Amino acid sequence: MKLTASAPANWNVKFEPSTINVLPGNQQQTVVAVFEPAKNAIAGDYVVTMRATAKEASAQSDIRSPSRLGPCGASSAFSLP
């Protein structure tokens, strides 16, 4: 399963782990996403779309991320059918 994110321009989003090799049905996997806002980002709320994509299915979740000094993290739950 591949993990990706669509974030505002010049933001950096990292996943740990960056991929999930095997996820049995009805099982969960914790993934940490760390957002690093652009250096010139002004204070405010921004939307980051996170996606999990596999051959069989895909899912996505929109996260509101406040822009502050330094990296911030987010938590979201979404499941693949």
Side-chain angles (χ1 to χ4, degrees), residues 7-74:
N10 299 316
W11 280 46
N12 188 18
V13 180
K14 294 181 183 177
F15 293 99
E16 184 58 42
S18 59
T19 60
I20 300 171
N21 293 327
V22 176
L23 185 62
N26 297 318
Q27 297 296 309
Q28 296 181 357
Q29 171 70 45
T30 298
V31 176
V32 175
V34 177
F35 307 152
E36 185 175 348
K39 295 191 185 316
N40 63 347
I42 59 173
D45 285 340
Y46 294 85
V47 175
V48 176
T49 301
M50 298 189 300
R51 291 181 188 83
T53 306
K55 289 180 184 178
E56 300 81 12
S58 65
Q60 75 177 37
S61 180
D62 290 335
I63 302 297
R64 286 192 162 272
S65 177
S67 173
R68 298 187 179 137
L69 296 175
C72 57

